[in-house]
Amino acid sequence: MKLIVVESPAKGRTIESFLGKDYKVLSSYGHIRDLPKGKLGIDVEKNFEPTYVIPTKARKHVTLLKKESKKANEVILATDEDREGESISFHLKEVLGLKNPKRIVFHEITKSAIEEALQNPRTINEQLVEAQQARRILDRLVGYKLSPFLWKKVARGLSAGRVQSVAVRLVADREREIEAFKPEEYWSLEALLHKLNDALEFSASLVKKDGKAVPKLGIKSKEESEAILQDLKGANWQVREVERKETRRNPLPPFTTSTLQQTAAQRLHFSAKQTMQLAQQLYEMGAITYHRTDSLNLSALAKTSAEKYLKENYGKEYVFPRSFKTRSKGAQEAHEAIRSTSAERTHIKLTGPQAKLYDLIRGRFLASQAAPALFDSASIDIAAASCIFRATGQTLKFDGFLKVYPMKFEETELPPLQKQEGLILSKLLPSQHFTQPPARYTEATLVKMLEEQGIGRPSTYAPTLSTIQERGYVDKDAQRRFHLTELGAVVTDLLVEHFPDIVDAKFTAEMEENLDKIAEGTKEWQPMLKAFYEPFAETLEKKYEDVSKETLVVETGEKCPECGSPLVVRFGRFGKFTACTNFPKCRYTESLEENKPQQLGISCPRCGNGEIVAKRTKRGKIFYACNRYPECDFALWNKPTGEKCEKCEALLVEAGKTKIKCSNKECPSLQKKGSSSTA
DNA sequence: CAGTGAGCGAGCTTCCGCTTGACTT
């Protein structure tokens, strides 16, 4: 028996189905060894020697792998073809005590690709393993050295890292751009026109004045706009230029993790986490290819199946085979792009959300091999006095890929127009506009930005978004846009001021360059780490001394009502609060207005004297409690409606968006339904 | 399911990237 080890069990099952009884395929479930969680695990004095442990989660997989590898007469390591995959193979070799394991790689999961890979085994690439190790150690050093600094200087439980700190910084920078933004006034001018004996009105907008182009912000005030209107009084309107041509719109490439997360957010309002969970389910069913990828490659088999499907269902004019080059920085391309495993729609029963995501993935895959959409476009220049107006029209001529992957576009029809033709003006429409501040990041746009900058990997985009929210650095509003919190601002300012290099996208870019050199063999990993760590450790030591918690204190100009000493705003574990400078003699504090518990106007059912207020836990979760705490400890998770249960008199609370239930768990009204569950 | 800061000191928090379950609410 020959044992093949891959990273993912779903992949293992597929491969096993291609091979005969001689082969057994097992999965490592990702990395099997890592630095210990509870301590640094790196001897910085001894050439950065790492200590590796088998995490508890990996233990049972390792046990099985050990058992089966002993039985096997050959072990073949088939982990992904990238830094991390090579490292997994290396650790498998070490842990399983393999002498000369065969190492194979393939980019697509087809019978022929696997057979070919088995014919061409190689050995483990030690340099690639070293590059991974350098990456791992660097991230550990940054994360496990900077986080404790934040615990000391700001608040316990905080974290910093090469990826998450840059993500927060992007939000912080945007927040400042928005704060600093000053809207600018500008005007546009539109003309509604029609032909002499034709009621069809069309609009044209001002593009030139006195032979010069009018840019977007070219008209700055109402006065300027009115001067143009004056100029146009009684003018003759005449067609000056007619340009008609066919334009094409090409389909987008198939999905990668990043573009799938972005598109599912835009079209389906899924969070990155939801998208990945659904994609995982589809992957395990065999409905789609692997969902953590930065590759745009499609297997030859996949391409021909898409071509065949398009031809048979829509006709040969809908077929347009293409390949796509991966543009993203630092892409490792161990997998294919994300696509449906079949061009035909799957027969597997899918849940609503699964089906929506699946249809999106399949549509985009088919579209990538489909013909461009064709439009009849027209651009008409119209002269009036010293102005040129332009009307543009577009009508769909051939839908092409839009058949399988609909996209929004505007259609505007223009009447047939001839050069020199005179036109009649129905109306001039000047309108005032203001420039808009840059848009806040959403999950989708932040992931896009991270990918463009080469920060993070497909497997970490969604977890990174969760981390920066869990730490309380950023918040999401009702439109799912990110806002920087006070804490996020304080931590980012601190890091940017004292560790500017590390919270910069360039840090990752440089790291990647160095890792590539290590992988090529033109650089050694220990000197690379030393070059980073020595100055870093020195700075860190200095900053522990220099940076005082007091730098975060802000004067208020007010006096303490109890002892008359000045009051200051401090930054504590739970955000900002006002405190007396005479501490610890005077312990006077007050909450800032923005943090004050919000009253709901409902009296406390337990003590009768208190009022119910909305509060936040340490983790930031909202709950509803009596304002006389700690004398009265009445509290609820769900928001009370203010009404009382008919049967037991307890408060009714909201349960989900529209449902209402009784807050008393023993209330008879709940007993029938059994325990209520939330989706 | 709060009540923040100082300092004492024990014991704790934390990274990124690879992969899926296994807990209850």
Side-chain angles (χ1 to χ4, degrees):
Chain A
M1 187 267 286
K2 294 176 182 180
L3 177 65
I4 300 184
V5 186
V6 296
E7 290 180 40
S8 146
K11 191 170 171 180
R13 283 194 293 275
T14 316
I15 293 170
E16 207 160 34
S17 72
F18 292 143
L19 299 169
K21 284 266 183 311
D22 296 349
Y23 290 92
K24 188 174 181 102
V25 186
L26 284 180
S27 159
S28 75
Y29 289 79
H31 282 292
I32 56 154
R33 286 210 296 190
D34 191 16
L35 298 170
K37 205 172 164 294
K39 55 176 191 177
L40 187 66
I42 300 155
D43 193 340
V44 293
E45 306 292 324
K46 252 175 98 184
N47 242 335
F48 301 97
E49 194 177 293
T51 306
Y52 287 113
V53 296
I54 300 171
T56 39
K57 275 190 173 173
R59 210 155 272 164
K60 67 172 191 217
H61 304 130
V62 170
T63 314
L64 181 64
L65 287 165
K66 272 186 182 165
K67 197 175 114 197
E68 294 297 324
S69 73
K70 282 215 183 79
K71 284 198 249 166
N73 42 31
E74 189 172 53
V75 178
I76 301 159
L77 303 175
T79 53
D80 298 346
E81 189 185 27
D82 56 22
R83 245 177 5 226
E84 302 295 329
E86 203 68 12
S87 167
I88 292 172
S89 276
F90 168 78
H91 286 286
L92 282 167
K93 178 185 164 193
E94 296 282 303
V95 170
L96 303 180
L98 309 173
K99 290 266 161 55
N100 291 306
K102 276 188 183 164
R103 168 79 170 114
I104 63 164
V105 293
F106 36 81
H107 305 108
E108 51 180 78
I109 321 237
T110 55
K111 193 168 187 221
S112 61
I114 289 153
E115 280 167 353
E116 198 190 316
L118 283 167
Q119 296 303 313
N120 297 292
R122 58 171 174 83
T123 55
I124 289 172
N125 180 340
E126 304 283 343
Q127 288 164 3
L128 204 52
V129 175
E130 284 175 358
Q132 190 278 341
Q133 178 161 280
R135 198 279 305 155
R136 180 68 190 92
I137 293 175
L138 186 77
D139 281 334
R140 172 54 70 94
L141 288 171
V142 171
Y144 272 38
K145 291 285 182 186
L146 275 186
S147 301
F149 180 76
L150 294 179
W151 304 341
K152 179 92 185 289
K153 303 298 179 190
V154 186
R156 55 168 295 150
L158 300 181
S159 63
R162 175 177 59 82
V163 171
Q164 60 170 287
S165 297
V166 176
V168 179
R169 188 188 180 171
L170 289 170
V171 177
D173 288 349
R174 181 60 53 89
E175 197 77 47
R176 290 198 179 141
E177 284 173 45
I178 293 169
E179 268 168 34
F181 184 81
K182 295 214 174 61
E184 249 182 88
E185 181 184 354
Y186 70 96
W187 288 71
S188 65
L189 187 52
E190 227 180 302
L192 284 184
L193 302 155
H194 62 92
K195 283 164 72 104
L196 198 53
N197 296 313
D198 189 347
L200 178 71
E201 271 185 358
F202 61 95
S203 91
S205 44
L206 178 69
V207 291
K208 268 187 195 173
K209 170 109 178 58
D210 302 319
K212 273 187 278 181
V214 179
K216 191 188 169 194
L217 304 182
I219 311 168
K220 295 207 183 301
S221 64
K222 187 165 190 178
E223 290 70 38
E224 283 181 46
S225 169
E226 275 174 357
I228 299 170
L229 293 181
Q230 198 59 42
D231 187 41
L232 286 167
K233 265 212 173 120
N236 284 322
W237 293 74
Q238 191 187 41
V239 175
R240 178 67 57 88
E241 214 61 67
V242 178
E243 191 183 286
R244 292 186 187 273
K245 61 178 177 196
E246 185 185 88
T247 53
R248 53 171 53 198
R249 180 159 177 178
N250 286 314
L252 293 161
F255 284 125
T256 60
T257 303
S258 142
T259 54
L260 179 66
Q261 288 174 357
Q262 290 161 41
T263 311
Q266 285 153 12
R267 295 197 174 192
L268 308 173
H269 297 327
F270 290 169
S271 69
K273 196 172 167 183
Q274 276 176 302
T275 298
M276 293 309 275
Q277 272 169 358
L278 292 166
Q280 175 81 30
Q281 292 160 9
L282 293 170
Y283 169 64
E284 283 174 16
M285 292 170 190
I288 62 168
T289 55
Y290 196 58
H291 55 293
R292 288 184 274 256
T293 178
D294 48 21
S295 166
L296 294 176
N297 291 333
L298 294 172
S299 74
L301 217 60
K303 288 181 70 168
T304 45
S305 79
E307 285 162 34
K308 186 164 167 263
Y309 180 89
L310 291 166
K311 190 176 163 196
E312 283 174 2
N313 288 275
Y314 304 109
K316 66 175 191 304
E317 67 277 20
Y318 280 86
V319 181
F320 195 108
R322 287 184 198 78
S323 295
F324 297 89
K325 279 228 172 72
T326 303
R327 301 150 302 178
S328 73
K329 252 190 190 173
Q332 307 202 3
E333 306 215 40
H335 305 94
E336 276 190 72
I338 304 172
R339 60 167 171 87
S340 54
T341 46
S342 163
E344 301 281 341
R345 198 173 189 284
T346 182
H347 293 299
I348 304 168
K349 272 228 169 98
L350 303 177
T351 65
Q354 284 171 352
K356 281 183 184 163
L357 193 69
Y358 174 83
D359 290 336
L360 198 61
I361 292 168
R362 175 169 165 269
R364 180 98 156 212
F365 158 53
L366 291 174
S368 77
Q369 301 304 310
L374 301 178
F375 294 87
D376 279 327
S377 303
S379 173
I380 317 288
D381 280 5
I382 300 147
S386 62
C387 296
I388 302 281
F389 284 70
R390 183 169 295 158
T392 55
Q394 161 173 285
T395 49
L396 185 67
K397 187 180 177 188
F398 173 64
D399 55 0
F401 77 92
L402 295 170
K403 202 112 189 162
V404 287
Y405 190 78
M407 292 178 91
K408 274 189 196 139
F409 57 89
E410 260 180 48
E411 277 194 287
T412 26
E413 206 167 344
L414 294 180
L417 293 164
Q418 302 299 323
K419 228 171 160 172
Q420 312 296 339
E421 185 173 349
L423 292 169
I424 303 186
L425 175 73
S426 335
K427 216 173 200 175
L428 271 172
L429 302 168
S431 46
Q432 186 188 33
H433 309 273
F434 291 92
T435 54
Q436 296 295 310
R440 292 185 182 282
Y441 286 109
T442 59
E443 285 203 348
T445 54
L446 190 56
V447 165
K448 187 173 184 210
M449 190 67 175
L450 288 172
E451 191 196 28
E452 280 170 8
Q453 310 256 343
I455 315 265
R457 306 276 317 133
S459 67
T460 61
Y461 297 135
T464 300
L465 299 176
S466 300
T467 301
I468 61 177
Q469 292 174 80
E470 273 165 29
R471 298 279 176 274
Y473 295 150
V474 301
D475 257 348
K476 260 195 230 163
D477 66 17
Q479 284 89 51
R480 306 184 309 277
R481 297 174 307 192
F482 282 123
H483 290 251
L484 189 68
T485 62
E486 302 263 16
L487 181 65
V490 167
V491 168
T492 305
D493 284 349
L494 194 72
L495 293 175
V496 170
E497 184 178 348
H498 301 287
F499 302 93
D501 304 342
I502 293 174
V503 275
D504 196 312
K506 275 187 227 146
F507 183 74
T508 291
E510 266 170 43
M511 177 194 80
E512 288 291 347
E513 274 177 36
N514 284 323
L515 296 181
D516 285 346
K517 285 180 189 161
I518 294 168
E520 286 163 15
T522 54
K523 201 175 185 105
E524 284 184 289
W525 69 274
Q526 285 117 329
M528 175 251 180
L529 286 176
K530 198 174 168 196
F532 154 72
Y533 186 69
E534 281 188 349
F536 173 65
E538 203 177 304
T539 311
L540 194 65
E541 203 180 326
K542 220 177 345 173
K543 298 296 180 184
Y544 264 105
E545 304 253 312
D546 296 354
V547 180
S548 156
K549 260 194 152 167
E550 295 302 308
T551 57
L552 305 174
V553 169
V554 184
E555 315 267 340
T556 63
E558 285 167 45
K559 292 267 189 304
C560 174
E562 281 176 15
C563 73
S565 305
L567 287 179
V568 288
V569 172
R570 289 184 172 277
F571 200 88
R573 231 183 292 181
F574 311 113
K576 284 182 175 173
F577 70 106
T578 305
C580 179
T581 45
N582 197 17
F583 182 87
K585 277 187 190 154
C586 172
R587 306 189 82 92
Y588 178 81
T589 62
E590 56 185 68
S591 288
L592 288 187
E593 203 54 48
E594 61 206 65
N595 297 333
K596 284 218 175 108
Q598 181 201 341
Q599 305 238 343
L600 297 184
I602 302 167
S603 63
C604 173
R606 185 164 300 166
C607 67
N609 301 325
E611 266 226 49
I612 304 296
V613 291
K615 294 179 162 188
R616 280 174 186 278
T617 66
K618 290 180 201 178
R619 284 258 171 235
K621 191 175 175 192
I622 294 171
F623 70 102
Y624 303 89
C626 178
N627 67 348
R628 286 180 61 248
Y629 180 89
E631 290 132 72
C632 173
D633 63 357
F634 180 79
L636 295 167
W637 279 124
N638 298 56
K639 187 176 181 178
T641 62
E643 280 164 51
K644 285 185 178 168
C645 175
E646 287 179 4
K647 294 204 170 142
C648 70
E649 301 258 296
L651 287 176
L652 290 177
V653 294
E654 292 179 4
K657 276 178 194 156
T658 51
K659 285 182 194 158
I660 287 170
K661 69 171 185 186
C662 178
S663 61
N664 176 11
K665 277 175 199 144
E666 270 117 56
C667 175
S669 69
L670 290 172
Q671 295 308 309
K672 288 166 245 160
K673 292 180 226 158
S675 64
S676 64
S677 63
T678 44

